[in-house]
Amino acid sequence: MQNSIHLKIADFSIKLYSDISIELEEGYLPFVSEDEKGVDDVTIHCFSGIPAIDLQKAELVFEAKNEIQKFYSIFRSDTGLGFIIYNQQTKDEVQQIAFLDETFSQWEVYSNPSSESSRLPLKYPLGPIVMHYLTVKSNSVMIHASCVFDGKTGRIFTGFSGNGKSTISKLWADAGNRIINDDRIIIRKIEDNYMAFNTPMYYIDKPKSTVLNAIFLISHSPENKMKKISGALAVSKVMAFCIQNNFESKLIQNHLDFLSELCIHIPVYELGFVPDASVVNFILANETGRTK
Amino acid sequence: MDLQKLYALKSKFVVRVVGNELILVPLTGNVAQMNELFTMNETGKFIWENLGEKTTIENLETLVTEAFDVDADTAKKDIENFIKKLETIL
């Protein structure tokens, strides 16, 4: 019997199918949805066992790696993209091989039977990769950012790792506001509004969203200071913190188009902040031109 | 770096015009380079758009002088700055 799981992430419909029993890591569980109306945005067919396909002979177009280990490699073929996903616990061991069709709508995911991913097909890093390619085809972006909602206004705080994304969201939470997420956000345009959605993390948190009213590029500073920026500078600075695989012109152009529109409608500020409660009132006192 | 080499590298970028400015995003096969985005002001945008296969520095100086109503020295400096900026990208 075929198993299936339906997820709703950032209002996208994601359907997983498998001939074997599959599960989700706990962070995904609150995103399981019974509402299966409408067309799925992406389907993921999961298999146990890695087929004898030599992707190394295809064109290598992108590698996500650091000095220590590889995360994934992307190959281009006539029918779409091929991914080699590496196990993050056991360096360089292939965790999964995955194929994404050229419409970015159908995945085939083959997991190493000895890997935990055989039971948990969205095991990191495949889950975020699936979400990223969903945003690429859907006029939206995924960004490294925290996001808070004060009951009327949604604010995103983005910056380099260590610049205080979690710190500032906690300061807003301490002031009575709601954290949407403190690490990874999907931004979509829905009707006339830009919306910010949380995504599944390694911990349990229910699906949340807010209308987006302002974006802050944050850094630590000896004093609170903020400056509104616009035009190419704003677009390029926001884009720098978006999750992207820049090997194909079309994908980059989609991101640039979306972000150029976003930065016309949503004010972008550079914010240097002191990591204490004063930054909340400082922002409230100094925001200008915020979208209603 | 000569202009022909710069022209040959134009296809390695995706560009977007925002107002009078330009954003350049390099095509890259490496996740470590994906945050390297660049912007060009109005003059830089103009030079980028007029950088052709057979363009010379002298051609560009004339074009910049005419388009922005500046003297030859200013045009030359703008072009040098443009080339310096691209060299930091490449």
Side-chain angles (χ1 to χ4, degrees), chain A residues 63 236 240 244 246 253 257, chain B residues 14 16 28-29 31 34-35 37:
Chain A
E63 281 203 306
S236 64
Q244 47 194 315
N246 286 350
Q253 202 69 62
D257 292 347
Chain B
V14 179
R16 162 91 191 194
T28 175
V31 74
M34 69 189 186
N35 288 341
L37 316 179

Side-chain angles (χ1 to χ4, degrees), chain A residues 254-271:
Chain A
N254 286 351
H255 265 142
L256 274 172
D257 292 347
F258 179 81
L259 291 170
S260 298
E261 282 297 310
L262 175 74
C263 292
I264 289 170
H265 294 97
I266 306 296
V268 179
Y269 300 92
E270 289 182 320
L271 172 72

Side-chain angles (χ1 to χ4, degrees), chain A residues 55-151:
Chain A
L55 267 178
Q56 301 291 354
K57 286 181 182 167
E59 181 195 2
L60 174 66
V61 291
F62 192 81
E63 281 203 306
K65 62 181 180 182
N66 60 22
E67 301 78 19
I68 301 164
Q69 64 187 141
K70 291 181 182 176
F71 299 100
Y72 56 93
S73 303
I74 306 177
F75 299 81
R76 193 185 345 242
S77 74
D78 294 340
T79 53
L81 299 174
F83 295 72
I84 297 179
I85 313 291
Y86 295 96
N87 189 321
Q88 300 304 293
Q89 280 78 45
T90 56
K91 204 168 72 173
D92 291 345
E93 182 199 3
V94 174
Q95 170 179 300
Q96 290 158 312
I97 284 185
F99 299 96
L100 177 60
D101 75 329
E102 57 191 358
T103 67
F104 291 180
S105 300
Q106 291 191 46
W107 285 87
E108 288 180 8
V109 177
Y110 297 86
S111 295
N112 185 337
S114 66
S115 159
E116 206 182 18
S117 65
S118 187
R119 181 175 57 88
L120 301 165
L122 294 181
K123 180 177 158 62
Y124 185 85
L126 187 66
I129 294 171
V130 168
M131 287 184 267
H132 166 64
Y133 281 89
L134 195 46
T135 64
V136 166
K137 76 163 200 156
S138 307
N139 200 25
S140 52
V141 293
M142 189 155 69
I143 185 167
H144 289 296
S146 61
C147 178
V148 296
F149 178 58
D150 69 5

Side-chain angles (χ1 to χ4, degrees), chain A residues 146 157 164-172 218 271 273 279:
Chain A
S146 61
F157 301 94
K165 294 190 286 292
S166 297
T167 302
I168 200 163
S169 63
K170 186 170 183 311
L171 291 168
W172 280 85
I218 62 170
L271 172 72
F273 77 101
V279 67

Side-chain angles (χ1 to χ4, degrees), chain B residues 1-3 6 40-41 43-44 47-48 51 56-62 64-65 70-90:
Chain B
M1 184 177 287
D2 63 52
L3 287 185
L6 287 183
M40 292 272 179
N41 62 15
T43 314
I47 296 170
W48 175 270
L51 181 59
T56 64
I57 297 271
E58 291 72 29
N59 294 148
L60 280 178
E61 277 178 17
T62 306
V64 171
T65 306
V70 293
D71 60 34
D73 279 350
T74 307
K76 196 171 181 175
K77 265 186 198 155
D78 285 342
I79 293 162
E80 281 170 5
N81 287 338
F82 170 86
I83 292 172
K84 269 187 204 160
K85 183 153 191 178
L86 270 192
E87 282 175 340
T88 66
I89 299 173
L90 301 167

